[in-house]
Amino acid sequence: MERAHTERPQGHSPRQIGPYYLITRLDPAGPGFPPVPERRFIARSADGDRTVLVRTPGEGVDPERFLVEADAGRRLLGPWVSPVAELSPPSDSPWYASPYLPSLPLPVALAVHGGPLPERTVRAIGAALAETLAGAHATGITHAGLSPAAVLLAGDGPRLTCFGAVRAAAPDGEQRSGLPGLEPGSLAPEQASGGRPRPPGDVYSLGAILAYAATGHTVPDSAELPESLRSLISRCLTRDPAARPTAAEVLHALPPASTAPASTVLDSSTSLLTPGWLPGRVVAAVARQSAEVLAAELRVPQTHGA
């Protein structure tokens, strides 16, 4: 597993968040990685029956807004979402949990692969995320937290996390640029200045994720982008929200022309998330993480009278 470390979250006893005991921190340590708006840990219940991905607020995040956004995240549905399954009780320090799925944050996947991901992988990631956003936007939901660090890569496809991170970082009307945890290249200009997060802002962030997966940078030079994706990503990253494509249009544009005739390509990620979509080194790292978590032994403190 890409090296991670376990740290004591503020407001919690050592190695424990709520009822869960920490196995490892999911996010990478050290410079060179994009910021993460929440702390994410792989953890297990004392009885060993449940392994989860548990999150706590990142630096500078208001804990009340963090929980509000986590609760709202229950509305974001679909196969490519890391679902909010459990929230901390009102009396506890804030956290929320999702079922554990072996996966790597997108920045770690690039480090494991040794550089930008193949175009096939970039298109598959984009299609899954665009499909999720198109469904959310159709029901009036804005993710407001997309960034490279918000994307986890599992063997069967990506998973979205960090729902509402922009709203949790600061309320509407307040400058959000430069705040801890927010990746500046992924933040739409209208959101950076304090504007209310809306679907075009999600599309801007999606373009930044595609750019990052393809080049290692959220704001690359146009020449760095794969020629076949250059126009689409550039349209997503335009400063004018009205000039950006919709998530549904991004989804429709991502399958390469060779996949099938245009009239038969489904607006779905299924045509791209086929065997081999993920590079071998990343698949191996995900499998290694799974084995290490499965083998992890927890020394759960004994309670008095036990």
Side-chain angles (χ1 to χ4, degrees):
M1 179 165 55
E2 181 71 13
R3 291 297 174 191
H5 68 282
T6 298
E7 67 176 29
R8 177 179 176 177
Q10 294 180 356
H12 297 281
S13 60
R15 298 179 292 110
Q16 184 177 2
I17 297 176
Y20 298 108
Y21 290 84
L22 307 186
I23 297 173
T24 187
R25 185 167 180 174
L26 181 68
D27 301 304
F33 289 99
V36 185
E38 56 189 22
R39 298 182 178 95
R40 301 181 293 200
F41 301 86
I42 302 171
R44 186 170 291 147
S45 59
D47 58 14
D49 285 348
R50 299 187 309 282
T51 302
V52 299
L53 181 61
V54 63
R55 290 90 153 192
T56 63
E59 180 186 354
V61 173
D62 181 277
E64 291 186 5
R65 285 204 299 265
F66 173 82
L67 276 185
V68 167
E69 294 301 331
D71 188 37
R74 297 175 187 264
R75 300 168 57 206
L76 191 66
L77 303 174
W80 315 123
V81 174
S82 180
V84 179
E86 186 178 2
L87 286 170
S88 58
S91 60
D92 204 352
S93 297
W95 56 268
Y96 73 97
S98 304
Y100 167 66
L101 179 70
S103 57
L104 299 181
L106 178 58
V108 175
L110 265 71
V112 167
H113 182 63
L117 299 175
E119 183 177 328
R120 176 185 179 185
T121 304
V122 176
R123 289 179 179 273
I125 292 170
L129 302 187
E131 182 180 320
T132 302
L133 292 176
H137 295 168
T139 59
I141 298 173
T142 303
H143 183 281
L146 287 170
S147 71
V151 180
L152 305 180
L153 298 187
D156 64 344
R159 297 295 189 280
L160 263 178
T161 67
C162 302
F163 180 86
V166 172
R167 291 184 292 257
D172 296 346
E174 290 191 12
Q175 287 281 341
R176 300 189 182 102
S177 56
L179 292 180
L182 296 184
E183 209 289 312
S186 303
L187 197 58
E190 67 272 17
Q191 293 183 8
S193 61
R196 177 184 174 186
R198 297 182 183 277
D202 279 350
V203 172
Y204 183 97
S205 301
L206 175 58
I209 290 170
L210 292 173
Y212 181 86
T215 69
H217 310 288
T218 51
V219 189
D221 292 332
S222 179
E224 293 182 76
L225 296 169
E227 185 176 358
S228 60
L229 291 172
R230 190 173 301 159
S231 175
L232 176 63
I233 294 176
S234 297
R235 288 174 59 213
C236 291
L237 293 176
T238 185
R239 296 185 63 85
D240 180 5
R244 297 171 199 152
T246 65
E249 289 170 341
V250 174
L251 174 60
H252 185 71
L254 280 167
S258 60
T259 302
S263 60
T264 62
V265 171
L266 299 177
D267 284 343
S268 168
S269 57
T270 55
S271 64
L272 293 172
L273 289 166
T274 51
W277 78 276
L278 205 55
R281 289 183 180 178
V282 179
V283 173
V286 171
R288 189 161 57 249
Q289 180 197 98
S290 178
E292 292 181 3
V293 169
L294 185 65
E297 295 184 6
L298 297 180
R299 293 183 175 89
V300 178
Q302 295 297 311
T303 58
H304 292 295

